[in-house]
Amino acid sequence: MASSVSSLFERTESLSSIAASTSTEVPSGPLSGPSDTTWRRQRLLHIGSVQTLSTEREDQDAVEATLIVHHRPGMQKPHSSYGTLPHVNPKKSTSRRHGLPTLPALGLPSRVPSLSNSPTQRYGTLDRPSIFRTRTRPISAYDEPASGALARTPGEPDLDLDTGRAVRANGIRVWYSSFSSVDWLHDAIKDSTRMYRLRRSKSVRGRVRSAADRLMGWVIVTIVGFLTAIAAFLIARSEQWLFDIKYGYCTTGWWKAHRFCCPTISEERNFAPGASNVTCVAWASWGEALTEAGATQLSRILVGRATYALSALLLALVSSTLTIYLTASTSFVTRKDSGVLAPDFASVPENGKASAPPSDPPAKRKVLYYAAGSGIPEIKTILSGFVIHGYLGGHTLFTKAVGLSLAVASGLSLGKEGPFVHIASCIGNIVSRYFAKYENNEGKRREILSAASAAGVAVAFGAPIGGVLFSLEEVSYFFPPKVMWRSFFCAMIAAMTLRFLDPFGTGKLVLFQVTYDKDWHAYELVPFLLLGVFGGVYGAYFSKLNYRWSRDVRNKTWLKNHPIAEVLLITAITTILNFVNGYTLMGGTELVYNLFAMCLPGSPNTHAGLCVLDPGKQTFHVMRMIAVALVVKAALTVVTFGIKVPAGIFIPTLGVGACAGRIVGLVVQYARWRWPTAPVFASCPENSLCVIPGLYAMVGAAAALSGVTRTTVSLAVIMFELTDTLTYAVPVMLAVLVAKTVADALEPKGIYDLVIELSQLPYLNAKHQYLWGGLTVSDAMDRDVEAIHVGHSNTVCTLRDQLAKVAAAGYADIGFPILRSDEDGRSRMLGFIGGNELEHALSIVAEEADHPVSFHPSRHLYRSLSSSSLSSILEHPEDPFDFSVYMDKVRPSAKRSPGKFLITITQTPLTISINSPLELVQQFFVKLGARYVVATDADGYYEGLIDKNGWLAFLDELETKAT
């Protein structure tokens, strides 16, 4: 017995390493939730490695059962944020497996009985009432029974007896892996089926459920708007305190920022030329606090600047460290990711005897740091229909919020406004996951993300209308009227809540919100036009330089492997250059506010010396100071945007444009002072405030931001909301349109599109016009796609090998056309099964490596009316080795016969002729949201396949040849 136990320990040693890290439930049927990625991968690896037991098996049964108990993963806890691995509690079991990791219990509601994995119970269902009655919410399958198989509530018929047919539904999907594309058609059909079932009930309960379903979206966007405002408030307050702590601290309360410690003189605290020599008794600088009472002024300045530099480096270091070590894409391995796309899939443990497919490891995708940058390019990619697990999860939200406050406070040339879109989207994603309607429908969830993006811009600029338009123009891919209404409501809630919270103590939503009470003159259209040209030129060349810096310097030198060192180096350079003058030392938001400010005659506030009281003596000196700040800010922004800290591009760009606009405004103001009687100034009354340099700064800022981001309508509306007036609608519109036109002529892609290209994000640009020439579908399709032939011997093991072979090629959206060969050797397509669906199905039947697997294009199922419903037939196929339920696209129909139903399941994939123009394929992917398109010849025979990722690669090659 002792020797038996010893040998059993040796045989189960490999199982220990396999199952030790497993911490989630495992699929037990088509509609079960996703299992752990490592567990799933190891099961697929061990297909065909059934170990031979010794003759003393009967004596070892009890010991083996006891040992396997410790390797058994347990149930899922209630809720985990999107993109994180949940913690689980182990559950005991006495089931045995054939040399494979054990199948853990599955926590599903009692209304969803699951199919057993045990070969001896293949045609039955598990009876685990203690598990099914759990009140926790496990991560479910992507397709709920109600949406995928016409599940019914008690008292509702299975069929529409008036028409004699069932509601149409499509095939079962399991989940989406990272960087795979969303099946918009599937999600639309699924939601349509769900709504039909919900609306057809005329009972009181049914009407209440229908009303609750309609209100659900409004409730979610209300919560999202409220939480977004709270997050913006906390970030703004913490950023102000962290930024000011570099200078000193408040003696009346260390937690107070300078603005709240000295509210009456906070605008004059910078080392700006011409600033009033006022001091705040409650504020103590580090130069005073860290030196002796009799220290010289020089020593205090040196100590103060040294403290400033060390504080900036520390803040940047902490921000970068959090970003790199908490949000690297390689650290986000979720249960919804594919087990076969992992680089180590083909590596078999020493004790394993599985015949892992000999293939080269797939090309590694570039490592992304989810909290770095603004997040807008990635949000655009997600809203366009691609999945990036973890990017909108709780870890990313926390790191983005904390790291953003630290990075902005360090004094780097970056802003916090752009990342608010990412933060709001994280909140929207997390909140929507508590509602099954949105959690299990990626298409519906993106409606909430669009509304959240609008709320992010609303709190960033205090512009709820501009936020809605920004979401429509720049971020969102699918924006129906319903989404627009909810986005508007969400943005309103966010702006209203932030107004009550008052983050700056001024009653304004943003610090640089200004109001002008003077009108503009016709002659000013010429300088406004010049500012538009400047904005376009600056935007185009900034995008070019930043792209080339990131591609050729950041990604091809030692900086690539030392991102924290890069952050510290740029922070050190920024800190040194900040001491050039008072304007470079200001924070980005504060600089923009002072540049936008209107100088009132007789006001003691000179806005850091920007108000020129004597044009003859002060104009050129102030212009030189602003010009130096413009050059320094522009150069630093080129090398700063893209470092591994949370960073936005809005405020640095607004600062550069505002500097240029203020310079132009000062030139016009000087010209009017120098030549007051010139005909061009005839419309200006004598001794009046005719020229407002702050207005030019605002127009220049809008032009520069339009040149960089290529936004137009939304940007103009944001500027209107910032100035609380439509008086300057024409100047802003003129500058924005000219800037975009000039920038597009010099560089077709904006900064966000270039970041998408650098990050290798799978984004399909619906706005871009491609020149196809004489190309047809045959030039774009892939004829060598790995296919499943129903006439061949398809077993669990051979399908596993096919799956691994395709995964080794590095495809994210893997899938297999299912073909049948005719007598003449040509193939007809019977259906299509996705890689995730095949992986899920194989993990269920992994014990039977040599068991044949069937795919039926037309399947007839008979059931007695008294024993089963249509939904149960579709939910629980009799044979787990029949993968037809996963095939695209399932279209059920039913006919009544005496005491029985006849269900015919057919597959109708989206097809196109090989001689069709490529613009038709583009419209299939853009307008219909297809994941793949099947190419056929004139007789309907299969020729090849075009999947979405392959189509993106073809478009990239097409653009490369064109340029």
Side-chain angles (χ1 to χ4, degrees):
M1 180 67 178
S3 60
S4 300
V5 173
S6 175
S7 62
L8 184 56
F9 266 98
E10 293 177 358
R11 288 190 293 107
T12 57
E13 186 177 2
S14 61
L15 292 181
S16 301
S17 60
I18 295 171
S21 60
T22 308
S23 58
T24 185
E25 72 257 20
V26 179
S28 57
L31 297 175
S32 59
S35 57
D36 180 78
T37 303
T38 303
W39 185 94
R40 205 161 56 242
R41 179 166 66 251
Q42 295 295 347
R43 277 183 67 84
L44 296 178
L45 276 173
H46 280 74
I47 289 177
S49 63
V50 179
Q51 300 188 13
T52 305
L53 300 180
S54 65
T55 57
E56 302 180 7
R57 178 60 183 264
E58 293 182 359
D59 296 333
Q60 299 172 1
D61 283 348
V63 180
E64 182 177 4
T66 304
L67 293 174
I68 295 181
V69 163
H70 299 289
H71 306 314
R72 181 172 185 165
M75 286 176 51
Q76 163 71 11
K77 272 194 171 183
H79 178 69
S80 59
S81 60
Y82 187 60
T84 59
L85 284 173
H87 175 72
V88 295
N89 294 326
K91 304 285 288 185
K92 292 185 177 181
S93 172
T94 55
S95 60
R96 299 194 303 266
R97 300 297 168 189
H98 302 280
L100 297 173
T102 58
L103 284 170
L106 177 65
L108 289 176
S110 57
R111 59 183 175 86
V112 190
S114 300
L115 188 67
S116 171
N117 282 330
S118 174
T120 60
Q121 300 178 1
R122 187 177 304 146
Y123 302 103
T125 57
L126 293 175
D127 184 15
R128 296 173 180 170
S130 61
I131 295 176
F132 291 143
R133 292 197 185 106
T134 178
R135 295 183 180 181
T136 60
R137 187 185 68 84
I139 294 182
S140 61
Y142 181 71
D143 278 357
E144 289 183 331
S147 60
L150 298 175
R152 61 185 181 91
T153 57
E156 291 183 351
D158 292 312
L159 298 174
D160 187 346
L161 299 180
D162 295 333
T163 60
R165 56 190 175 85
V167 182
R168 292 191 176 189
N170 50 351
I172 293 176
R173 297 288 187 277
V174 286
W175 57 83
Y176 293 114
S177 298
S178 284
F179 300 102
S180 62
S181 58
V182 173
D183 192 340
W184 294 93
L185 293 174
H186 173 87
D187 288 354
I189 295 172
K190 180 168 67 173
D191 189 63
S192 175
T193 304
R194 184 193 63 82
M195 291 181 62
Y196 172 80
R197 291 189 56 257
L198 200 61
R199 303 290 190 268
R200 72 176 178 176
S201 176
K202 304 302 180 183
S203 63
V204 175
R205 180 184 178 186
R207 292 178 185 273
V208 171
R209 291 178 58 192
S210 180
D213 181 77
R214 290 189 179 97
L215 291 175
M216 187 183 300
W218 295 99
V219 172
I220 292 176
V221 296
T222 301
I223 298 173
V224 171
F226 178 74
L227 295 180
T228 300
I230 293 178
F233 170 79
L234 295 175
I235 292 172
R237 284 292 178 92
S238 60
E239 180 268 327
Q240 290 178 72
W241 182 81
L242 289 170
F243 187 88
D244 292 341
I245 204 67
K246 295 182 301 182
Y247 297 96
Y249 65 96
C250 184
T251 57
T252 60
W254 61 268
W255 61 89
K256 293 181 181 180
H258 190 283
R259 173 172 299 277
F260 300 100
C261 184
C262 312
T264 59
I265 57 175
S266 60
E267 295 174 353
E268 298 290 350
R269 67 185 176 88
N270 294 283
F271 302 103
S276 302
N277 186 20
V278 292
T279 59
C280 175
V281 177
W283 185 264
S285 66
W286 293 118
E288 298 173 351
L290 300 179
T291 56
E292 298 178 355
T296 63
Q297 185 67 16
L298 178 61
S299 62
R300 291 181 178 179
I301 292 177
L302 293 177
V303 170
R305 294 193 174 186
T307 306
Y308 176 95
L310 292 176
S311 301
L313 289 171
L314 178 62
L315 292 172
L317 174 63
V318 175
S319 177
S320 180
T321 302
L322 290 175
T323 301
I324 292 174
Y325 288 101
L326 293 185
T327 63
S329 58
T330 52
S331 65
F332 287 89
V333 181
T334 75
R335 297 191 300 165
K336 295 180 180 179
D337 283 320
S338 173
V340 300
L341 291 179
D344 56 343
F345 174 75
S347 61
V348 187
E350 295 180 1
N351 296 337
K353 299 180 180 180
S355 56
S359 58
D360 296 329
K364 292 185 178 180
R365 184 177 294 274
K366 182 179 179 180
V367 178
L368 302 178
Y369 299 96
Y370 289 166
S374 69
I376 293 179
E378 290 80 3
I379 298 299
K380 288 181 63 175
T381 303
I382 291 173
L383 291 181
S384 71
F386 286 90
V387 177
I388 306 178
H389 287 317
Y391 195 80
L392 301 178
H395 283 166
T396 305
L397 172 61
F398 170 79
T399 308
K400 189 84 170 187
V402 175
L404 180 62
S405 300
L406 296 169
V408 175
S410 68
L412 288 168
S413 183
L414 46 84
K416 63 178 182 295
E417 282 67 23
F420 277 144
V421 175
H422 185 192
I423 291 172
S425 297
C426 289
I427 295 173
N429 178 74
I430 293 172
V431 172
S432 64
R433 293 202 65 232
Y434 284 93
F435 300 85
K437 173 182 176 180
Y438 295 96
E439 180 192 3
N440 294 328
N441 193 311
E442 292 287 346
K444 294 292 293 182
R445 194 189 314 193
R446 275 150 181 75
E447 297 179 4
I448 302 298
L449 298 182
S450 295
S453 300
V457 177
V459 298
F461 294 101
I465 301 176
V468 175
L469 293 176
F470 183 85
S471 179
L472 169 63
E473 179 182 4
E474 183 65 26
V475 179
S476 296
Y477 200 82
F478 178 65
F479 207 81
K482 178 177 62 176
V483 177
M484 181 178 65
W485 302 334
R486 290 178 178 172
S487 299
F488 185 57
F489 184 76
C490 185
M492 182 199 69
I493 294 294
M496 183 174 61
T497 304
L498 190 62
R499 182 63 177 267
F500 284 122
L501 295 174
D502 193 11
F504 301 103
T506 60
K508 298 178 180 180
L509 297 181
V510 291
L511 183 61
F512 50 88
Q513 189 172 357
V514 294
T515 301
Y516 305 120
D517 57 2
K518 301 294 182 180
D519 204 346
W520 58 278
H521 303 276
Y523 71 87
E524 292 180 303
L525 289 176
V526 175
F528 292 153
L529 181 65
L530 294 178
L531 287 174
V533 175
F534 168 81
V537 173
Y538 170 76
Y541 282 98
F542 168 81
S543 300
K544 287 177 179 289
L545 292 175
N546 179 261
Y547 174 79
R548 293 180 179 178
W549 174 270
S550 300
R551 183 192 63 185
D552 300 331
V553 179
R554 180 171 291 129
N555 292 336
K556 292 185 179 180
T557 63
W558 63 272
L559 297 176
K560 178 180 180 181
N561 298 322
H562 302 86
I564 296 180
E566 180 190 12
V567 172
L568 294 177
L569 177 61
I570 293 179
T571 304
I573 295 173
T574 302
T575 302
I576 295 173
L577 294 178
N578 279 349
F579 293 111
V580 171
N581 61 41
Y583 302 138
T584 56
L585 192 60
M586 286 184 184
T589 303
E590 199 165 6
L591 176 62
V592 171
Y593 165 72
N594 285 303
L595 291 170
F596 280 12
M598 178 178 178
C599 299
L600 299 176
S603 174
N605 187 0
T606 62
H607 293 284
L610 289 171
C611 293
V612 176
L613 303 178
D614 187 354
K617 296 181 179 180
Q618 294 180 311
T619 298
F620 293 103
H621 174 69
V622 174
M623 286 174 56
R624 284 194 297 270
M625 301 291 287
I626 298 175
V628 171
L630 186 153
V631 174
V632 170
K633 293 289 185 181
L636 289 177
T637 305
V638 169
V639 299
T640 301
F641 187 69
I643 62 175
K644 301 307 182 285
V645 295
I649 195 64
F650 285 171
I651 288 300
T653 304
L654 288 175
V656 172
C659 285
R662 192 82 186 194
I663 292 174
V664 173
L666 290 174
V667 171
V668 177
Q669 184 185 51
Y670 177 81
R672 198 263 179 186
W673 172 82
R674 182 68 176 81
W675 300 283
T677 60
V680 70
F681 301 116
S683 59
C684 292
E686 191 175 355
N687 298 325
S688 66
L689 189 62
C690 183
V691 179
I692 306 175
L695 170 60
Y696 289 80
M698 188 264 291
V699 174
L705 190 57
S706 177
V708 171
T709 64
R710 312 301 164 87
T711 53
T712 53
V713 179
S714 61
L715 178 57
V717 173
I718 288 173
M719 289 300 171
F720 301 156
E721 294 185 87
L722 282 176
T723 57
D724 290 333
T725 180
L726 293 176
T727 304
Y728 309 104
V730 173
V732 171
M733 292 170 62
L734 175 65
V736 165
L737 290 174
V738 172
K740 177 173 171 49
T741 302
V742 173
D744 286 341
L746 298 176
E747 170 56 55
K749 293 183 179 181
I751 188 64
Y752 295 140
D753 293 329
L754 292 175
V755 171
I756 288 174
E757 182 179 332
L758 277 174
S759 301
Q760 304 173 359
L761 298 175
Y763 177 70
L764 178 59
N765 192 347
K767 302 175 184 178
H768 187 72
Q769 295 292 330
Y770 295 93
L771 301 178
W772 309 111
L775 299 176
T776 61
V777 172
S778 60
D779 299 304
M781 69 181 184
D782 188 354
R783 297 180 182 270
D784 299 325
V785 176
E786 189 75 15
I788 298 175
H789 294 268
V790 295
H792 297 175
S793 176
N794 296 309
T795 64
V796 173
C797 188
T798 59
L799 291 179
R800 188 281 311 268
D801 293 346
Q802 283 188 276
L803 183 64
K805 181 179 179 181
V806 175
Y811 296 111
D813 258 347
I814 58 177
F816 301 86
I818 301 171
L819 308 178
R820 181 188 63 199
S821 299
D822 290 349
E823 295 179 357
D824 56 0
R826 295 194 293 178
S827 300
R828 288 192 179 274
M829 186 168 181
L830 305 181
F832 184 90
I833 184 170
N836 287 332
E837 285 73 33
L838 182 59
E839 179 182 335
H840 177 76
L842 290 175
S843 66
I844 296 175
V845 296
E847 294 89 346
E848 303 291 339
D850 298 326
H851 196 288
V853 175
S854 59
F855 299 89
H856 296 292
S858 181
R859 184 158 56 101
H860 301 279
L861 302 174
Y862 293 90
R863 280 287 191 272
S864 171
L865 278 171
S866 59
S867 63
S868 182
S869 65
L870 174 64
S871 60
S872 64
I873 294 173
L874 292 177
E875 288 179 28
H876 311 296
E878 290 183 341
D879 187 1
F881 296 95
D882 184 355
F883 291 179
S884 304
V885 69
Y886 300 100
M887 292 169 61
D888 265 352
K889 177 185 303 183
V890 178
R891 183 179 60 193
S893 60
K895 295 190 300 182
R896 294 190 66 182
S897 59
K900 292 186 178 181
F901 283 126
L902 170 62
I903 298 98
T904 303
I905 300 179
T906 60
Q907 283 69 37
T908 56
L910 193 61
T911 60
I912 189 173
S913 172
I914 58 174
N915 297 319
S916 300
L918 288 180
E919 181 62 28
L920 184 58
V921 181
Q922 174 75 351
Q923 296 304 317
F924 277 0
F925 286 115
V926 171
K927 299 294 178 59
L928 297 182
R931 294 185 76 185
Y932 66 91
V933 177
V934 179
T936 61
D937 61 12
D939 297 326
Y941 286 99
Y942 170 82
E943 290 289 338
L945 189 74
I946 306 176
D947 62 71
K948 200 167 186 178
N949 279 283
W951 179 248
L952 288 174
F954 173 77
L955 294 180
D956 183 67
E957 182 180 355
L958 188 67
E959 286 293 290
T960 302
K961 291 181 179 179
T963 56

